Amino acid sequence: MDWLLVGSSGDMALAKIIVVTSGKGGVGKTTSSAAIGTGIALQGFKTVIIDFDVGLRNLDLIMGCERRVVYDFVNVINKEATLSQALIKDKRTKDLFILPASQTRDKDALTQEGVQGVLEELAKEFDYIICDSPAGIEKGAQMALYFADAAIVVTNPEVSSVRDSDRILGILQSKSRRAEEGKEPIEEYLLLTRYHPERVALGEMLSVSDVEDILAIPLLGVIPESEAVLKASNQGTPVILDTESEAGLAYTDAVDRLMGEERPLRFLDIQKKGFFKRLLGG
Ligand SMILES: Nc1ncnc2c1ncn2[C@@H]1O[C@H](COP(=O)(O)OP(=O)(O)OP(=O)(O)O)[C@@H](O)[C@H]1O
Ligand SMILES: [Mg+2]
């Protein structure tokens, strides 16, 4: 893996900044940020997940820490709170912290210098910094990806989502700090979520290979459409902790691949359960 040196000259630190992005809204970025951040921390790396979605605050709900939010990302940028006041330590997973988004309606509250300052401070302490991007390809999304070393491009198997992922790939390659400074480009990974094998077979959704062909970036994982995701988010638990669910296991595989392990793809075939139940008269 290609690590970036962040920090001011005296205080060099190693941290990998990963943006979870998509272009299109509602494809599963926050679900994936929570799951992948948790999965990385479970491997023993000190990890922080930052909610860049100013005004919405979804990450703390999915992580089940919304009642503990006192200060947020914008407060730290504005020096109204210190990082240690704003960071929320996850109650289940050791080595995992959340930096919640602001409720402010001011979408310009995140400045590039402000974000840089916070990332540099975090980089002194953390191994991984996960940036949960807001939807779109405008300023908010660009702020979330600007300092990234790697990008997880969350995509649903449908044309509109793939098209917007292609747009965000263009921005990663032209408007990120690495692009502007002519450094090694951002590592790009495809995460295909809400995959529905039945609908793929019916031709209603694109297949894994269709999406891979169009976007042409390495596949980090395929997360099946699963009721376990909604259940987990209602409980304020990242779905990766549900080791009974296919979605949870698929996220674990994705994290292992991110760490350089080889894992075969699974859960891509149509479930036969309903059919056997019917055979048995169930
Ligand atoms: N694998 C899945 N199976 C079923 N539902 C899913 C799956 N992944 C995400 N969802 C659901 O899709 C919805 C959107 O998910 P999420 O909030 O993670 O998307 P997002 O990309 O962060 O959205 P936004 O662009 O608004 O930030 C949620 O209701 C979530 O529960
Ligand atoms: Mg989100």
PDB file of all heavy atoms in Angstrom, residues 22-33 53 56 58 62 132-136 154 156 192-195 223-231 233 239 247 251, ligand 1:
ATOM      1  N   SER A  22     -19.334   8.535  -4.195  1.00  0.00           N
ATOM      2  CA  SER A  22     -20.240   7.874  -5.149  1.00  0.00           C
ATOM      3  C   SER A  22     -20.764   8.772  -6.257  1.00  0.00           C
ATOM      4  O   SER A  22     -21.139   8.284  -7.319  1.00  0.00           O
ATOM      5  CB  SER A  22     -21.466   7.310  -4.427  1.00  0.00           C
ATOM      6  OG  SER A  22     -22.277   8.367  -3.965  1.00  0.00           O
ATOM      7  N   GLY A  23     -20.867  10.058  -6.018  1.00  0.00           N
ATOM      8  CA  GLY A  23     -21.636  10.867  -6.956  1.00  0.00           C
ATOM      9  C   GLY A  23     -23.104  10.794  -6.602  1.00  0.00           C
ATOM     10  O   GLY A  23     -23.638  11.665  -5.918  1.00  0.00           O
ATOM     11  N   LYS A  24     -23.771   9.732  -7.004  1.00  0.00           N
ATOM     12  CA  LYS A  24     -25.205   9.588  -6.739  1.00  0.00           C
ATOM     13  C   LYS A  24     -25.488   9.430  -5.243  1.00  0.00           C
ATOM     14  O   LYS A  24     -24.704   8.804  -4.528  1.00  0.00           O
ATOM     15  CB  LYS A  24     -25.718   8.355  -7.488  1.00  0.00           C
ATOM     16  CG  LYS A  24     -27.239   8.243  -7.500  1.00  0.00           C
ATOM     17  CD  LYS A  24     -27.667   7.167  -8.485  1.00  0.00           C
ATOM     18  CE  LYS A  24     -29.151   7.240  -8.782  1.00  0.00           C
ATOM     19  NZ  LYS A  24     -30.012   6.714  -7.754  1.00  0.00           N
ATOM     20  N   GLY A  25     -26.589   9.985  -4.808  1.00  0.00           N
ATOM     21  CA  GLY A  25     -26.979   9.886  -3.403  1.00  0.00           C
ATOM     22  C   GLY A  25     -27.664   8.567  -3.088  1.00  0.00           C
ATOM     23  O   GLY A  25     -28.170   7.887  -3.984  1.00  0.00           O
ATOM     24  N   GLY A  26     -27.657   8.217  -1.817  1.00  0.00           N
ATOM     25  CA  GLY A  26     -28.435   7.080  -1.338  1.00  0.00           C
ATOM     26  C   GLY A  26     -27.983   5.715  -1.811  1.00  0.00           C
ATOM     27  O   GLY A  26     -28.762   4.763  -1.813  1.00  0.00           O
ATOM     28  N   VAL A  27     -26.721   5.582  -2.196  1.00  0.00           N
ATOM     29  CA  VAL A  27     -26.263   4.288  -2.721  1.00  0.00           C
ATOM     30  C   VAL A  27     -25.639   3.397  -1.638  1.00  0.00           C
ATOM     31  O   VAL A  27     -25.410   2.210  -1.869  1.00  0.00           O
ATOM     32  CB  VAL A  27     -25.242   4.462  -3.875  1.00  0.00           C
ATOM     33  CG1 VAL A  27     -25.905   5.098  -5.089  1.00  0.00           C
ATOM     34  CG2 VAL A  27     -24.033   5.266  -3.440  1.00  0.00           C
ATOM     35  N   GLY A  28     -25.363   3.965  -0.468  1.00  0.00           N
ATOM     36  CA  GLY A  28     -24.802   3.160   0.618  1.00  0.00           C
ATOM     37  C   GLY A  28     -23.437   3.635   1.114  1.00  0.00           C
ATOM     38  O   GLY A  28     -22.698   2.849   1.706  1.00  0.00           O
ATOM     39  N   LYS A  29     -23.110   4.903   0.916  1.00  0.00           N
ATOM     40  CA  LYS A  29     -21.806   5.416   1.376  1.00  0.00           C
ATOM     41  C   LYS A  29     -21.674   5.376   2.895  1.00  0.00           C
ATOM     42  O   LYS A  29     -20.664   4.919   3.424  1.00  0.00           O
ATOM     43  CB  LYS A  29     -21.613   6.881   0.941  1.00  0.00           C
ATOM     44  CG  LYS A  29     -21.437   7.085  -0.536  1.00  0.00           C
ATOM     45  CD  LYS A  29     -21.261   8.555  -0.871  1.00  0.00           C
ATOM     46  CE  LYS A  29     -22.487   9.405  -0.576  1.00  0.00           C
ATOM     47  NZ  LYS A  29     -23.663   9.087  -1.396  1.00  0.00           N
ATOM     48  N   THR A  30     -22.705   5.881   3.591  1.00  0.00           N
ATOM     49  CA  THR A  30     -22.594   5.958   5.052  1.00  0.00           C
ATOM     50  C   THR A  30     -22.626   4.557   5.656  1.00  0.00           C
ATOM     51  O   THR A  30     -21.833   4.242   6.558  1.00  0.00           O
ATOM     52  CB  THR A  30     -23.714   6.863   5.602  1.00  0.00           C
ATOM     53  OG1 THR A  30     -23.595   8.136   4.976  1.00  0.00           O
ATOM     54  CG2 THR A  30     -23.596   7.024   7.107  1.00  0.00           C
ATOM     55  N   THR A  31     -23.491   3.710   5.127  1.00  0.00           N
ATOM     56  CA  THR A  31     -23.527   2.301   5.553  1.00  0.00           C
ATOM     57  C   THR A  31     -22.143   1.670   5.373  1.00  0.00           C
ATOM     58  O   THR A  31     -21.640   0.961   6.266  1.00  0.00           O
ATOM     59  CB  THR A  31     -24.554   1.536   4.674  1.00  0.00           C
ATOM     60  OG1 THR A  31     -25.833   2.164   4.811  1.00  0.00           O
ATOM     61  CG2 THR A  31     -24.635   0.071   5.051  1.00  0.00           C
ATOM     62  N   SER A  32     -21.518   1.951   4.224  1.00  0.00           N
ATOM     63  CA  SER A  32     -20.216   1.347   3.920  1.00  0.00           C
ATOM     64  C   SER A  32     -19.106   1.971   4.757  1.00  0.00           C
ATOM     65  O   SER A  32     -18.196   1.261   5.201  1.00  0.00           O
ATOM     66  CB  SER A  32     -19.899   1.517   2.427  1.00  0.00           C
ATOM     67  OG  SER A  32     -20.883   0.879   1.651  1.00  0.00           O
ATOM     68  N   SER A  33     -19.166   3.281   4.988  1.00  0.00           N
ATOM     69  CA  SER A  33     -18.146   3.933   5.827  1.00  0.00           C
ATOM     70  C   SER A  33     -18.161   3.329   7.223  1.00  0.00           C
ATOM     71  O   SER A  33     -17.102   3.035   7.801  1.00  0.00           O
ATOM     72  CB  SER A  33     -18.420   5.437   5.955  1.00  0.00           C
ATOM     73  OG  SER A  33     -18.362   6.063   4.710  1.00  0.00           O
ATOM     74  N   ASP A  53     -20.950  15.032   5.738  1.00  0.00           N
ATOM     75  CA  ASP A  53     -22.269  15.409   5.233  1.00  0.00           C
ATOM     76  C   ASP A  53     -22.876  16.509   6.100  1.00  0.00           C
ATOM     77  O   ASP A  53     -23.772  16.265   6.912  1.00  0.00           O
ATOM     78  CB  ASP A  53     -23.172  14.174   5.185  1.00  0.00           C
ATOM     79  CG  ASP A  53     -24.201  14.277   4.075  1.00  0.00           C
ATOM     80  OD1 ASP A  53     -24.445  15.402   3.598  1.00  0.00           O
ATOM     81  OD2 ASP A  53     -24.754  13.237   3.699  1.00  0.00           O
ATOM     82  N   LEU A  56     -26.672  16.965   7.599  1.00  0.00           N
ATOM     83  CA  LEU A  56     -27.501  15.750   7.607  1.00  0.00           C
ATOM     84  C   LEU A  56     -27.249  14.837   8.805  1.00  0.00           C
ATOM     85  O   LEU A  56     -28.172  14.339   9.414  1.00  0.00           O
ATOM     86  CB  LEU A  56     -27.326  14.981   6.300  1.00  0.00           C
ATOM     87  CG  LEU A  56     -28.190  15.558   5.182  1.00  0.00           C
ATOM     88  CD1 LEU A  56     -27.975  14.801   3.892  1.00  0.00           C
ATOM     89  CD2 LEU A  56     -29.674  15.495   5.565  1.00  0.00           C
ATOM     90  N   ASN A  58     -25.827  11.533   9.389  1.00  0.00           N
ATOM     91  CA  ASN A  58     -26.352  10.172   9.338  1.00  0.00           C
ATOM     92  C   ASN A  58     -25.428   9.183  10.016  1.00  0.00           C
ATOM     93  O   ASN A  58     -25.866   8.189  10.572  1.00  0.00           O
ATOM     94  CB  ASN A  58     -26.512   9.726   7.881  1.00  0.00           C
ATOM     95  CG  ASN A  58     -27.909  10.004   7.394  1.00  0.00           C
ATOM     96  OD1 ASN A  58     -28.840   9.970   8.189  1.00  0.00           O
ATOM     97  ND2 ASN A  58     -28.047  10.276   6.124  1.00  0.00           N
ATOM     98  N   ILE A  62     -26.179   5.738  12.350  1.00  0.00           N
ATOM     99  CA  ILE A  62     -25.836   4.367  11.949  1.00  0.00           C
ATOM    100  C   ILE A  62     -24.870   3.738  12.961  1.00  0.00           C
ATOM    101  O   ILE A  62     -24.917   2.531  13.213  1.00  0.00           O
ATOM    102  CB  ILE A  62     -25.270   4.375  10.506  1.00  0.00           C
ATOM    103  CG1 ILE A  62     -26.425   4.676   9.537  1.00  0.00           C
ATOM    104  CG2 ILE A  62     -24.591   3.058  10.150  1.00  0.00           C
ATOM    105  CD1 ILE A  62     -26.095   4.570   8.079  1.00  0.00           C
ATOM    106  N   ASP A 132     -16.560   9.950   5.072  1.00  0.00           N
ATOM    107  CA  ASP A 132     -17.876   9.628   4.515  1.00  0.00           C
ATOM    108  C   ASP A 132     -18.371  10.846   3.749  1.00  0.00           C
ATOM    109  O   ASP A 132     -18.727  11.860   4.341  1.00  0.00           O
ATOM    110  CB  ASP A 132     -18.832   9.254   5.659  1.00  0.00           C
ATOM    111  CG  ASP A 132     -20.248   8.966   5.178  1.00  0.00           C
ATOM    112  OD1 ASP A 132     -20.431   8.701   3.978  1.00  0.00           O
ATOM    113  OD2 ASP A 132     -21.174   9.008   6.024  1.00  0.00           O
ATOM    114  N   SER A 133     -18.394  10.732   2.426  1.00  0.00           N
ATOM    115  CA  SER A 133     -18.714  11.880   1.567  1.00  0.00           C
ATOM    116  C   SER A 133     -20.210  12.138   1.493  1.00  0.00           C
ATOM    117  O   SER A 133     -21.007  11.205   1.526  1.00  0.00           O
ATOM    118  CB  SER A 133     -18.187  11.600   0.154  1.00  0.00           C
ATOM    119  OG  SER A 133     -18.574  12.625  -0.730  1.00  0.00           O
ATOM    120  N   PRO A 134     -20.602  13.414   1.343  1.00  0.00           N
ATOM    121  CA  PRO A 134     -21.999  13.685   0.986  1.00  0.00           C
ATOM    122  C   PRO A 134     -22.244  13.305  -0.464  1.00  0.00           C
ATOM    123  O   PRO A 134     -21.299  13.052  -1.220  1.00  0.00           O
ATOM    124  CB  PRO A 134     -22.111  15.200   1.196  1.00  0.00           C
ATOM    125  CG  PRO A 134     -20.741  15.736   1.045  1.00  0.00           C
ATOM    126  CD  PRO A 134     -19.800  14.634   1.476  1.00  0.00           C
ATOM    127  N   ALA A 135     -23.523  13.264  -0.860  1.00  0.00           N
ATOM    128  CA  ALA A 135     -23.882  12.935  -2.237  1.00  0.00           C
ATOM    129  C   ALA A 135     -23.463  14.065  -3.166  1.00  0.00           C
ATOM    130  O   ALA A 135     -23.234  15.191  -2.737  1.00  0.00           O
ATOM    131  CB  ALA A 135     -25.387  12.714  -2.330  1.00  0.00           C
ATOM    132  N   GLY A 136     -23.384  13.742  -4.446  1.00  0.00           N
ATOM    133  CA  GLY A 136     -23.142  14.766  -5.458  1.00  0.00           C
ATOM    134  C   GLY A 136     -21.700  14.820  -5.902  1.00  0.00           C
ATOM    135  O   GLY A 136     -20.862  14.034  -5.449  1.00  0.00           O
ATOM    136  N   VAL A 154     -18.598   3.813  -4.184  1.00  0.00           N
ATOM    137  CA  VAL A 154     -19.781   2.989  -3.911  1.00  0.00           C
ATOM    138  C   VAL A 154     -20.759   3.155  -5.062  1.00  0.00           C
ATOM    139  O   VAL A 154     -21.112   4.268  -5.443  1.00  0.00           O
ATOM    140  CB  VAL A 154     -20.440   3.418  -2.576  1.00  0.00           C
ATOM    141  CG1 VAL A 154     -21.666   2.557  -2.285  1.00  0.00           C
ATOM    142  CG2 VAL A 154     -19.437   3.342  -1.427  1.00  0.00           C
ATOM    143  N   ASN A 156     -24.295   1.359  -7.155  1.00  0.00           N
ATOM    144  CA  ASN A 156     -25.375   0.372  -7.252  1.00  0.00           C
ATOM    145  C   ASN A 156     -25.407  -0.127  -8.693  1.00  0.00           C
ATOM    146  O   ASN A 156     -25.013   0.599  -9.613  1.00  0.00           O
ATOM    147  CB  ASN A 156     -26.731   0.997  -6.890  1.00  0.00           C
ATOM    148  CG  ASN A 156     -26.856   1.399  -5.417  1.00  0.00           C
ATOM    149  OD1 ASN A 156     -27.730   2.173  -5.058  1.00  0.00           O
ATOM    150  ND2 ASN A 156     -25.988   0.884  -4.572  1.00  0.00           N
ATOM    151  N   LEU A 192     -19.521  -2.492  -5.057  1.00  0.00           N
ATOM    152  CA  LEU A 192     -20.859  -2.620  -5.636  1.00  0.00           C
ATOM    153  C   LEU A 192     -21.814  -3.009  -4.514  1.00  0.00           C
ATOM    154  O   LEU A 192     -21.633  -4.057  -3.881  1.00  0.00           O
ATOM    155  CB  LEU A 192     -20.794  -3.700  -6.726  1.00  0.00           C
ATOM    156  CG  LEU A 192     -21.859  -3.725  -7.793  1.00  0.00           C
ATOM    157  CD1 LEU A 192     -22.061  -2.368  -8.428  1.00  0.00           C
ATOM    158  CD2 LEU A 192     -21.481  -4.750  -8.853  1.00  0.00           C
ATOM    159  N   THR A 193     -22.800  -2.152  -4.246  1.00  0.00           N
ATOM    160  CA  THR A 193     -23.697  -2.426  -3.121  1.00  0.00           C
ATOM    161  C   THR A 193     -25.137  -2.577  -3.601  1.00  0.00           C
ATOM    162  O   THR A 193     -25.470  -2.180  -4.725  1.00  0.00           O
ATOM    163  CB  THR A 193     -23.649  -1.297  -2.072  1.00  0.00           C
ATOM    164  OG1 THR A 193     -24.016  -0.084  -2.709  1.00  0.00           O
ATOM    165  CG2 THR A 193     -22.276  -1.155  -1.454  1.00  0.00           C
ATOM    166  N   ARG A 194     -25.977  -3.138  -2.715  1.00  0.00           N
ATOM    167  CA  ARG A 194     -27.384  -3.392  -2.999  1.00  0.00           C
ATOM    168  C   ARG A 194     -27.526  -4.288  -4.227  1.00  0.00           C
ATOM    169  O   ARG A 194     -28.390  -4.062  -5.078  1.00  0.00           O
ATOM    170  CB  ARG A 194     -28.156  -2.073  -3.167  1.00  0.00           C
ATOM    171  CG  ARG A 194     -27.885  -1.084  -2.045  1.00  0.00           C
ATOM    172  CD  ARG A 194     -28.961  -0.075  -1.885  1.00  0.00           C
ATOM    173  NE  ARG A 194     -30.194  -0.715  -1.408  1.00  0.00           N
ATOM    174  CZ  ARG A 194     -31.224  -0.045  -0.921  1.00  0.00           C
ATOM    175  NH1 ARG A 194     -31.208   1.262  -0.869  1.00  0.00           N
ATOM    176  NH2 ARG A 194     -32.293  -0.686  -0.487  1.00  0.00           N
ATOM    177  N   TYR A 195     -26.672  -5.297  -4.299  1.00  0.00           N
ATOM    178  CA  TYR A 195     -26.665  -6.211  -5.449  1.00  0.00           C
ATOM    179  C   TYR A 195     -27.775  -7.237  -5.298  1.00  0.00           C
ATOM    180  O   TYR A 195     -27.910  -7.878  -4.256  1.00  0.00           O
ATOM    181  CB  TYR A 195     -25.306  -6.911  -5.527  1.00  0.00           C
ATOM    182  CG  TYR A 195     -25.033  -7.541  -6.869  1.00  0.00           C
ATOM    183  CD1 TYR A 195     -24.703  -6.763  -7.962  1.00  0.00           C
ATOM    184  CD2 TYR A 195     -25.098  -8.927  -7.029  1.00  0.00           C
ATOM    185  CE1 TYR A 195     -24.434  -7.338  -9.198  1.00  0.00           C
ATOM    186  CE2 TYR A 195     -24.834  -9.509  -8.258  1.00  0.00           C
ATOM    187  CZ  TYR A 195     -24.499  -8.700  -9.337  1.00  0.00           C
ATOM    188  OH  TYR A 195     -24.229  -9.272 -10.553  1.00  0.00           O
ATOM    189  N   ILE A 223     -21.714  -6.136  -2.190  1.00  0.00           N
ATOM    190  CA  ILE A 223     -22.553  -6.275  -0.995  1.00  0.00           C
ATOM    191  C   ILE A 223     -23.980  -6.541  -1.463  1.00  0.00           C
ATOM    192  O   ILE A 223     -24.559  -5.732  -2.200  1.00  0.00           O
ATOM    193  CB  ILE A 223     -22.543  -4.979  -0.143  1.00  0.00           C
ATOM    194  CG1 ILE A 223     -21.117  -4.438   0.056  1.00  0.00           C
ATOM    195  CG2 ILE A 223     -23.265  -5.211   1.187  1.00  0.00           C
ATOM    196  CD1 ILE A 223     -20.167  -5.342   0.790  1.00  0.00           C
ATOM    197  N   PRO A 224     -24.551  -7.682  -1.072  1.00  0.00           N
ATOM    198  CA  PRO A 224     -25.913  -7.978  -1.543  1.00  0.00           C
ATOM    199  C   PRO A 224     -26.951  -7.066  -0.895  1.00  0.00           C
ATOM    200  O   PRO A 224     -26.735  -6.551   0.202  1.00  0.00           O
ATOM    201  CB  PRO A 224     -26.123  -9.426  -1.103  1.00  0.00           C
ATOM    202  CG  PRO A 224     -25.203  -9.636   0.046  1.00  0.00           C
ATOM    203  CD  PRO A 224     -24.024  -8.734  -0.184  1.00  0.00           C
ATOM    204  N   GLU A 225     -28.051  -6.866  -1.597  1.00  0.00           N
ATOM    205  CA  GLU A 225     -29.230  -6.221  -1.002  1.00  0.00           C
ATOM    206  C   GLU A 225     -29.660  -7.094   0.171  1.00  0.00           C
ATOM    207  O   GLU A 225     -29.784  -8.308   0.027  1.00  0.00           O
ATOM    208  CB  GLU A 225     -30.341  -6.152  -2.054  1.00  0.00           C
ATOM    209  CG  GLU A 225     -31.667  -5.645  -1.565  1.00  0.00           C
ATOM    210  CD  GLU A 225     -31.713  -4.131  -1.416  1.00  0.00           C
ATOM    211  OE1 GLU A 225     -30.884  -3.437  -2.042  1.00  0.00           O
ATOM    212  OE2 GLU A 225     -32.579  -3.646  -0.678  1.00  0.00           O
ATOM    213  N   SER A 226     -29.839  -6.504   1.341  1.00  0.00           N
ATOM    214  CA  SER A 226     -30.123  -7.329   2.506  1.00  0.00           C
ATOM    215  C   SER A 226     -30.913  -6.549   3.542  1.00  0.00           C
ATOM    216  O   SER A 226     -30.618  -5.381   3.820  1.00  0.00           O
ATOM    217  CB  SER A 226     -28.781  -7.800   3.096  1.00  0.00           C
ATOM    218  OG  SER A 226     -28.916  -8.189   4.434  1.00  0.00           O
ATOM    219  N   GLU A 227     -31.920  -7.216   4.103  1.00  0.00           N
ATOM    220  CA  GLU A 227     -32.719  -6.576   5.149  1.00  0.00           C
ATOM    221  C   GLU A 227     -31.897  -6.334   6.397  1.00  0.00           C
ATOM    222  O   GLU A 227     -32.244  -5.506   7.234  1.00  0.00           O
ATOM    223  CB  GLU A 227     -33.925  -7.451   5.500  1.00  0.00           C
ATOM    224  CG  GLU A 227     -35.037  -7.330   4.488  1.00  0.00           C
ATOM    225  CD  GLU A 227     -36.166  -8.312   4.746  1.00  0.00           C
ATOM    226  OE1 GLU A 227     -36.230  -8.866   5.863  1.00  0.00           O
ATOM    227  OE2 GLU A 227     -36.954  -8.516   3.812  1.00  0.00           O
ATOM    228  N   ALA A 228     -30.807  -7.078   6.525  1.00  0.00           N
ATOM    229  CA  ALA A 228     -29.954  -6.928   7.706  1.00  0.00           C
ATOM    230  C   ALA A 228     -29.377  -5.516   7.798  1.00  0.00           C
ATOM    231  O   ALA A 228     -29.087  -5.033   8.892  1.00  0.00           O
ATOM    232  CB  ALA A 228     -28.819  -7.950   7.656  1.00  0.00           C
ATOM    233  N   VAL A 229     -29.251  -4.836   6.634  1.00  0.00           N
ATOM    234  CA  VAL A 229     -28.677  -3.483   6.638  1.00  0.00           C
ATOM    235  C   VAL A 229     -29.618  -2.508   7.343  1.00  0.00           C
ATOM    236  O   VAL A 229     -29.201  -1.741   8.217  1.00  0.00           O
ATOM    237  CB  VAL A 229     -28.372  -3.016   5.192  1.00  0.00           C
ATOM    238  CG1 VAL A 229     -27.953  -1.556   5.174  1.00  0.00           C
ATOM    239  CG2 VAL A 229     -27.296  -3.886   4.573  1.00  0.00           C
ATOM    240  N   LEU A 230     -30.895  -2.568   7.001  1.00  0.00           N
ATOM    241  CA  LEU A 230     -31.878  -1.676   7.627  1.00  0.00           C
ATOM    242  C   LEU A 230     -32.011  -2.008   9.115  1.00  0.00           C
ATOM    243  O   LEU A 230     -32.057  -1.119   9.967  1.00  0.00           O
ATOM    244  CB  LEU A 230     -33.221  -1.818   6.916  1.00  0.00           C
ATOM    245  CG  LEU A 230     -34.279  -0.793   7.335  1.00  0.00           C
ATOM    246  CD1 LEU A 230     -33.799   0.619   7.027  1.00  0.00           C
ATOM    247  CD2 LEU A 230     -35.602  -1.058   6.619  1.00  0.00           C
ATOM    248  N   LYS A 231     -32.031  -3.291   9.411  1.00  0.00           N
ATOM    249  CA  LYS A 231     -32.157  -3.729  10.807  1.00  0.00           C
ATOM    250  C   LYS A 231     -30.979  -3.193  11.625  1.00  0.00           C
ATOM    251  O   LYS A 231     -31.158  -2.627  12.700  1.00  0.00           O
ATOM    252  CB  LYS A 231     -32.194  -5.267  10.839  1.00  0.00           C
ATOM    253  CG  LYS A 231     -32.735  -5.830  12.129  1.00  0.00           C
ATOM    254  CD  LYS A 231     -32.827  -7.360  12.073  1.00  0.00           C
ATOM    255  CE  LYS A 231     -32.145  -7.973  13.268  1.00  0.00           C
ATOM    256  NZ  LYS A 231     -31.398  -9.195  12.959  1.00  0.00           N
ATOM    257  N   SER A 233     -29.052  -0.660  10.932  1.00  0.00           N
ATOM    258  CA  SER A 233     -29.021   0.795  11.062  1.00  0.00           C
ATOM    259  C   SER A 233     -30.096   1.269  12.039  1.00  0.00           C
ATOM    260  O   SER A 233     -29.898   2.219  12.778  1.00  0.00           O
ATOM    261  CB  SER A 233     -29.080   1.485   9.701  1.00  0.00           C
ATOM    262  OG  SER A 233     -30.389   1.728   9.319  1.00  0.00           O
ATOM    263  N   VAL A 239     -23.390  -2.873  10.162  1.00  0.00           N
ATOM    264  CA  VAL A 239     -23.856  -4.209   9.743  1.00  0.00           C
ATOM    265  C   VAL A 239     -22.720  -5.236   9.729  1.00  0.00           C
ATOM    266  O   VAL A 239     -22.959  -6.447   9.842  1.00  0.00           O
ATOM    267  CB  VAL A 239     -24.587  -4.128   8.386  1.00  0.00           C
ATOM    268  CG1 VAL A 239     -23.628  -3.829   7.240  1.00  0.00           C
ATOM    269  CG2 VAL A 239     -25.371  -5.416   8.110  1.00  0.00           C
ATOM    270  N   ALA A 247     -24.653  -9.502   4.113  1.00  0.00           N
ATOM    271  CA  ALA A 247     -24.085  -8.162   3.914  1.00  0.00           C
ATOM    272  C   ALA A 247     -22.895  -7.959   4.863  1.00  0.00           C
ATOM    273  O   ALA A 247     -21.850  -7.440   4.463  1.00  0.00           O
ATOM    274  CB  ALA A 247     -25.153  -7.097   4.141  1.00  0.00           C
ATOM    275  N   TYR A 251     -18.993  -7.359   3.722  1.00  0.00           N
ATOM    276  CA  TYR A 251     -18.168  -6.220   4.139  1.00  0.00           C
ATOM    277  C   TYR A 251     -16.855  -6.694   4.765  1.00  0.00           C
ATOM    278  O   TYR A 251     -15.805  -6.078   4.552  1.00  0.00           O
ATOM    279  CB  TYR A 251     -18.936  -5.309   5.115  1.00  0.00           C
ATOM    280  CG  TYR A 251     -19.794  -4.265   4.434  1.00  0.00           C
ATOM    281  CD1 TYR A 251     -21.178  -4.265   4.570  1.00  0.00           C
ATOM    282  CD2 TYR A 251     -19.213  -3.263   3.653  1.00  0.00           C
ATOM    283  CE1 TYR A 251     -21.971  -3.301   3.950  1.00  0.00           C
ATOM    284  CE2 TYR A 251     -19.994  -2.300   3.026  1.00  0.00           C
ATOM    285  CZ  TYR A 251     -21.368  -2.323   3.179  1.00  0.00           C
ATOM    286  OH  TYR A 251     -22.138  -1.373   2.547  1.00  0.00           O
TER     287      TYR A 251
HETATM  288  N1  LIG B   1     -26.805  -3.666   1.007  1.00  0.00           N
HETATM  289  C1  LIG B   1     -27.928  -3.020   1.305  1.00  0.00           C
HETATM  290  N2  LIG B   1     -29.102  -3.691   1.377  1.00  0.00           N
HETATM  291  C2  LIG B   1     -30.259  -3.038   1.664  1.00  0.00           C
HETATM  292  N3  LIG B   1     -30.334  -1.714   1.929  1.00  0.00           N
HETATM  293  C3  LIG B   1     -29.210  -0.988   1.872  1.00  0.00           C
HETATM  294  C4  LIG B   1     -27.937  -1.596   1.559  1.00  0.00           C
HETATM  295  N4  LIG B   1     -26.995  -0.614   1.590  1.00  0.00           N
HETATM  296  C5  LIG B   1     -27.631   0.531   1.905  1.00  0.00           C
HETATM  297  N5  LIG B   1     -28.949   0.320   2.087  1.00  0.00           N
HETATM  298  C6  LIG B   1     -29.983   1.310   2.426  1.00  0.00           C
HETATM  299  O1  LIG B   1     -29.936   2.352   1.481  1.00  0.00           O
HETATM  300  C7  LIG B   1     -30.238   3.603   2.086  1.00  0.00           C
HETATM  301  C8  LIG B   1     -29.113   4.588   1.797  1.00  0.00           C
HETATM  302  O2  LIG B   1     -27.930   4.143   2.458  1.00  0.00           O
HETATM  303  P1  LIG B   1     -26.831   5.164   2.960  1.00  0.00           P
HETATM  304  O3  LIG B   1     -27.434   6.196   3.852  1.00  0.00           O
HETATM  305  O4  LIG B   1     -25.691   4.387   3.465  1.00  0.00           O
HETATM  306  O5  LIG B   1     -26.465   5.838   1.574  1.00  0.00           O
HETATM  307  P2  LIG B   1     -25.587   7.132   1.298  1.00  0.00           P
HETATM  308  O6  LIG B   1     -24.909   6.895  -0.003  1.00  0.00           O
HETATM  309  O7  LIG B   1     -24.742   7.444   2.464  1.00  0.00           O
HETATM  310  O8  LIG B   1     -26.703   8.258   1.142  1.00  0.00           O
HETATM  311  P3  LIG B   1     -26.439   9.851   1.023  1.00  0.00           P
HETATM  312  O9  LIG B   1     -25.980  10.069  -0.397  1.00  0.00           O
HETATM  313  O10 LIG B   1     -27.773  10.460   1.306  1.00  0.00           O
HETATM  314  O11 LIG B   1     -25.391  10.189   2.030  1.00  0.00           O
HETATM  315  C9  LIG B   1     -30.428   3.320   3.569  1.00  0.00           C
HETATM  316  O12 LIG B   1     -31.805   3.190   3.842  1.00  0.00           O
HETATM  317  C10 LIG B   1     -29.731   1.989   3.760  1.00  0.00           C
HETATM  318  O13 LIG B   1     -30.294   1.258   4.835  1.00  0.00           O
END
